[in-house]
Amino acid sequence: MEEVSLRILKNFSEFDNHTKVVHVMRRDVGLDGFIAIHRECQGCSIGGTRFFEYLSPHDALRDALRLSKAMTYKCAMAGIALGGGKGVLMKPRYSFDRSALLHAYTEALNELKDFYTGEDVGMTQDDAATMAAHSPYIVGKPGMGGDPGPWAALSVYYAILTALEEVYGEKNVRGKKFAVKGLGNVGSKIAKLLLRDGGIIFGADIDEVTIRRIRKNIPEVHIVSPEEIHTIPVDVYIPCALGGEFDVAKVEKLACRIVCGGANNQLASPEVGRLLAKRGIWYVPDYVANAGGLINVAAELHPKGYQEDRVRVHVKEVSRIVRKILRASREDGNPPGEIADAIAEAAFSEYFVNTVSEDYICTKENYRAWQVHPKDFPCDASWSEKLLFLVRFAILAPSSHNCQPWYFVVKEKKILLKPDFSRALPVSDIHNRHLYFALGCALENLLIAADYYGFKAHVSYFPDTDTAAMVSFSGEQRIPSEYIRDHLIFSIPRRMMNRAPYDRRMPNSSFFEIVRKLSVPPLEFCIITNDIQKRTLTEILLSFRYRAFDDGEFREELSSYKRTNLTRKFLGMPGFTMGFNTPFSLIAPSLIRRMNVMRFIQNTDRKMLTMHTPVFIVVATHQEDEFHWLQSGKAAERMMLEAERSGIAVAGSAMPHESGVFRDLFPSSVYPQLFFRVGHTSHTSGHSPRLPAERVSTVFPF
């Protein structure tokens, strides 16, 4: 067994940075083939082994690459925490000892380790038993999961029923017409299930032995030639032969409403999926529809062992996934295959992958920065350690996309706050306004913490070209007995954006008084409670967001910072901070990347702003420059901390950088910078991840 070189793999369009691809060969027994591992999860992958008369090793390798990627998607969609792989063996064209060949293959599996495989095209249950006698990496064993075919057929059947319901409004099979191409292990079983429900079945197969068996055992099937079956007018076309079933020419001749079958890799290219959608033909992605076989054999790896009842429940889940895909496709106009790919990619990349870069280390480590508490101040430590402790509060500031664009240098009783342009947002924040807002928020946290501990702090703004603020410290620090219990420092670790609906209660008058006191030159805080003004501002904001989401580069940048609720990354926004549940958070990044989601959420956002937000607050400046953006951030952070202390919910964002559109709402002499929803809610949100202070600081001991 030897690894296939990257130089060779790059010649294949099917190569997708596969984890490992090996060539397995034993000439003495006729073994020749490939094992492709597309992705691993927890160090493991799964996929069947195909035994087929390929025309060349080139064709076999291409099939291995293509099918292994499909297995990764299938695992992700089926909720199986394994990566995708595939074994492809070239069937010798001469006499050979099948048992010896399979034994040699299991030796390669044992050497490779952690690739679980079993029966696929060209394999039988006897073959699975032969391999299981020599390797622990065989699934679908007789007496356990067994033949995956019936379960693949069952999941395709469930997928067909769901597709019928979504397209025709009912699951009724009776009287509907179905064309099954490939009447082998899976196709014949699908035909039986549909016949049982009153369906009319047309069937075709290239193998005459199979045709004779079908005519004998299932005479109700109307046999037609493989060349014409796709042209017969039917409700559902069911491909169950080998992959690559559809190209552009064949799609043009299809006469069906739905395509849903058991074959793998049915579409020759993504363009074929788009053509199907253009013709009004609903395609159920193959790796979703036929997942039952995988679900069944993978159940042998369950900690409690194989249980058929559990498998049956799991296979029924295919219906729910198909329904989600088809409805999403109908709503946004993208082909079902692209919707499914987006879901699968997001699910695997965020939920299943266990190999992450050293920047993103472990599941809860990325939230540990929020556990800072004022009582932990190192009273007896050095100045550098004390100042670094203050930085632990500064890093809890908000930032656009949670990009955390700051860096701190601690030296000589000073903290230098610097912009980290490597974490800037070049598309959505072309002038670095958001970046300086975030630095202002961090600076305010730093000064609040310094005040709590009795430091005297002096701020010098932009002392050099790469420093936003230099804070010089002096004075004696407070001892614990002098801690001020209602100080704003306690609100810093509790502050969070809350994007839930708010009720109609107004914040108390004392909060408004605090906000008015913040409204001093060079800043103005505009409190908006008038419904007409709120509706006007709402439409401006929604129009701006819609145009922003129409920009593919904006969506790409935003999606790169969207995280699932299970993320281990230190940067970016988990779905729960936006109100997403975990399943939706898995697909949100890919959906954002692929389409303008404002088309679907604009009305919801409009209701949120006009009906579920009693107060808008806008922070404006008299000038447009880095200093005034920094001051906006400082004042806005203090307002958010005061809101937290008063039990008031806040959610904010940067205002559009188009001051002309606000002339009806604000004086022409001001520049609106930051927008906030303010109100009360019983809903809770959650913190976003944070890079720890040590990762964004350089400390010179003193």
Side-chain angles (χ1 to χ4, degrees):
M1 181 174 70
E2 64 178 358
E3 207 158 335
V4 180
S5 72
L6 187 61
R7 179 181 59 81
I8 293 174
L9 293 173
K10 284 185 174 180
N11 293 322
F12 290 83
S13 60
E14 294 82 2
F15 178 62
D16 183 42
N17 293 315
H18 284 58
T19 300
K20 182 179 291 187
V21 182
V22 297
H23 183 199
V24 292
M25 177 179 282
R26 275 273 306 275
R27 294 187 186 278
D28 59 324
V29 295
L31 174 65
D32 193 1
F34 300 92
I35 299 173
I37 308 300
H38 179 247
R39 297 289 184 269
E40 290 181 332
C41 175
Q42 304 173 48
C44 300
S45 58
I46 192 170
T49 293
R50 180 165 292 194
F51 198 39
F52 187 72
E53 291 186 7
Y54 288 95
L55 296 177
S56 69
H58 186 274
D59 291 339
L61 179 53
R62 170 175 281 118
D63 220 19
L65 294 171
R66 184 169 53 88
L67 293 168
S68 59
K69 179 178 179 179
M71 283 303 304
T72 293
Y73 283 30
K74 189 180 297 189
C75 286
M77 294 301 282
I80 294 170
L82 293 168
K86 200 72 178 182
V88 165
L89 304 182
M90 291 181 280
K91 188 174 183 180
R93 298 177 184 276
Y94 50 82
S95 177
F96 65 97
D97 185 334
R98 193 179 185 97
S99 179
L101 185 152
L102 294 175
H103 187 183
Y105 178 55
T106 58
E107 291 175 351
L109 293 174
N110 295 339
E111 181 182 346
L112 183 63
K113 295 181 180 179
D114 297 326
F115 167 54
Y116 292 91
T117 191
E119 179 183 347
D120 195 71
V121 173
M123 289 280 196
T124 67
Q125 277 287 280
D126 288 342
D127 294 331
T130 298
M131 293 190 292
H134 301 289
S135 175
Y137 299 110
I138 305 304
V139 291
K141 297 182 287 291
M144 294 185 68
D147 181 5
W151 296 97
L154 184 61
S155 66
V156 172
Y157 169 73
Y158 286 141
I160 290 171
L161 294 184
T162 304
L164 287 172
E165 183 178 30
E166 291 300 311
V167 174
Y168 291 104
E170 60 178 2
K171 290 183 178 181
N172 186 26
V173 169
R174 185 167 300 280
K176 290 189 170 59
K177 297 178 180 179
F178 304 85
V180 184
K181 183 177 181 180
L183 293 167
N185 193 22
V186 174
S188 61
K189 292 177 175 62
I190 296 171
K192 286 182 179 180
L193 289 168
L194 295 171
L195 282 168
R196 180 196 65 186
D197 292 348
I200 300 168
I201 311 298
F202 299 88
D205 200 291
I206 61 172
D207 182 40
E208 284 299 322
V209 175
T210 299
I211 291 298
R212 286 196 295 271
R213 185 175 66 248
I214 294 298
R215 281 183 167 142
K216 177 181 178 182
N217 298 329
I218 321 177
E220 299 90 344
V221 174
H222 303 279
I223 301 298
V224 298
S225 75
E227 291 75 23
E228 68 173 329
I229 188 165
H230 64 284
T231 66
I232 297 174
V234 294
D235 296 285
V236 185
Y237 183 72
I238 307 171
C240 293
L242 293 177
E245 167 78 9
F246 299 109
D247 55 20
V248 172
K250 183 167 284 188
V251 168
E252 294 287 1
K253 297 179 181 179
L254 278 174
C256 61
R257 291 292 309 281
I258 299 166
V259 172
C260 179
N264 289 313
N265 295 103
Q266 295 167 15
L267 307 186
S269 68
E271 289 72 27
V272 174
R274 297 184 195 111
L275 180 57
L276 284 168
K278 186 177 180 180
R279 290 204 56 212
I281 298 172
W282 291 91
Y283 168 65
V284 179
D286 46 64
Y287 58 80
V288 177
N290 64 23
L294 168 66
I295 292 168
N296 175 60
V297 299
E300 294 183 13
L301 304 175
H302 194 280
K304 294 183 179 180
Y306 181 83
Q307 295 178 12
E308 184 174 315
D309 290 344
R310 186 173 61 237
V311 172
R312 198 169 295 279
V313 170
H314 195 165
V315 170
K316 284 185 178 179
E317 280 292 293
V318 168
S319 294
R320 180 182 59 81
I321 298 168
V322 171
R323 183 174 295 109
K324 178 194 294 186
I325 292 168
L326 296 185
R327 288 183 179 179
S329 178
R330 180 181 291 112
E331 289 170 3
D332 64 44
N334 283 303
E338 294 185 13
I339 297 289
D341 286 354
I343 297 172
E345 289 163 7
F348 191 84
S349 64
E350 289 284 2
Y351 185 56
F352 295 130
V353 175
N354 72 327
T355 51
V356 295
S357 71
E358 72 175 40
D359 281 343
Y360 311 114
I361 299 173
C362 75
T363 305
K364 295 186 178 179
E365 193 70 25
N366 52 343
Y367 294 96
R368 191 159 294 172
W370 291 97
Q371 296 174 6
V372 63
H373 194 280
K375 67 180 176 58
D376 296 328
F377 182 72
C379 294
D380 299 323
S382 66
W383 265 87
S384 57
E385 291 174 293
K386 291 175 182 177
L387 296 187
L388 181 62
F389 188 79
L390 302 186
V391 173
R392 293 179 63 185
F393 291 92
I395 64 168
L396 302 183
S399 58
S400 290
H401 298 5
N402 192 33
C403 63
Q404 304 168 52
W406 43 64
Y407 196 82
F408 302 86
V409 177
V410 180
K411 65 178 183 179
E412 300 172 353
K413 296 187 180 182
K414 296 181 179 69
I415 296 178
L416 279 62
L417 173 58
K418 297 175 177 286
D420 185 343
F421 292 108
S422 71
R423 293 199 292 275
L425 304 171
V427 178
S428 57
D429 188 27
I430 188 171
H431 299 292
N432 292 318
R433 277 197 317 148
H434 305 197
L435 181 147
Y436 284 103
F437 295 155
L439 294 185
C441 292
L443 178 59
E444 185 66 13
N445 283 359
L446 188 67
L447 296 176
I448 288 170
D451 175 74
Y452 179 75
Y453 294 112
F455 289 100
K456 293 180 180 179
H458 173 75
V459 183
S460 299
Y461 293 100
F462 300 96
D464 56 59
T465 56
D466 67 344
T467 303
M470 180 175 69
V471 186
S472 303
F473 297 89
S474 62
E476 295 296 325
Q477 295 80 61
R478 290 191 179 94
I479 59 175
S481 61
E482 296 175 311
Y483 283 174
I484 306 168
R485 297 299 176 185
D486 63 346
H487 198 278
L488 272 183
I489 193 173
F490 290 95
S491 292
I492 293 174
R494 294 197 297 257
R495 181 210 59 79
M496 62 185 72
M497 295 290 186
N498 193 321
R499 294 179 172 85
Y502 301 161
D503 59 39
R504 295 182 179 276
R505 287 177 294 159
M506 283 285 183
N508 54 46
S509 58
S510 60
F511 173 74
F512 285 132
E513 186 60 32
I514 291 170
V515 173
R516 291 188 183 97
K517 288 180 179 179
L518 293 172
S519 187
V520 294
L523 303 176
E524 288 195 24
F525 277 69
C526 307
I527 300 172
I528 301 173
T529 57
N530 179 276
D531 287 341
I532 295 175
Q533 291 181 318
K534 284 168 58 182
R535 283 196 294 270
T536 301
L537 183 52
T538 293
E539 293 308 316
I540 292 171
L541 292 172
L542 292 179
S543 175
F544 169 76
R545 291 177 188 173
Y546 193 96
R547 295 197 308 274
F549 273 89
D550 256 349
D551 183 346
E553 291 184 354
F554 172 86
R555 297 198 306 270
E556 184 68 32
E557 181 181 78
L558 176 61
S559 66
S560 71
Y561 281 93
K562 288 292 184 182
R563 306 287 181 245
T564 77
N565 293 350
L566 307 166
T567 186
R568 292 175 289 191
K569 297 186 176 183
F570 287 89
L571 300 173
M573 302 168 287
F576 59 74
T577 65
M578 309 295 294
F580 300 162
N581 59 29
T582 296
F584 187 76
S585 76
L586 292 170
I587 66 172
S590 290
L591 291 179
I592 289 169
R593 184 182 302 113
R594 291 166 181 259
M595 63 195 74
N596 185 344
V597 296
M598 285 299 296
R599 284 184 289 168
F600 317 114
I601 65 173
Q602 194 167 34
N603 287 335
T604 302
D605 282 1
R606 182 177 287 109
K607 290 179 182 178
M608 184 77 77
L609 290 168
T610 57
M611 299 173 61
H612 299 291
T613 306
V615 183
F616 292 171
I617 294 179
V618 174
V619 183
T621 62
H622 291 174
Q623 294 184 46
E624 281 276 39
D625 57 31
E626 289 88 347
F627 173 77
H628 288 83
W629 298 336
L630 195 74
Q631 295 301 316
S632 297
K634 277 183 84 275
E637 178 70 347
R638 180 165 286 268
M639 182 203 71
M640 288 187 279
L641 295 175
E642 292 284 4
E644 195 288 324
R645 184 162 63 176
S646 302
I648 296 168
V650 173
S653 63
M655 290 285 278
H657 199 218
E658 301 172 8
S659 57
V661 300
F662 299 115
R663 287 176 182 162
D664 294 338
L665 293 172
F666 308 107
S668 59
S669 60
V670 303
Y671 299 88
Q673 303 291 358
L674 291 162
F675 165 80
F676 294 93
R677 297 175 56 224
V678 181
H680 292 276
T681 181
S682 59
H683 296 276
T684 58
S685 181
H687 288 124
S688 51
R690 280 296 183 279
L691 288 162
E694 294 76 11
R695 296 272 294 280
V696 292
S697 304
T698 296
V699 179
F700 295 91
F702 55 93

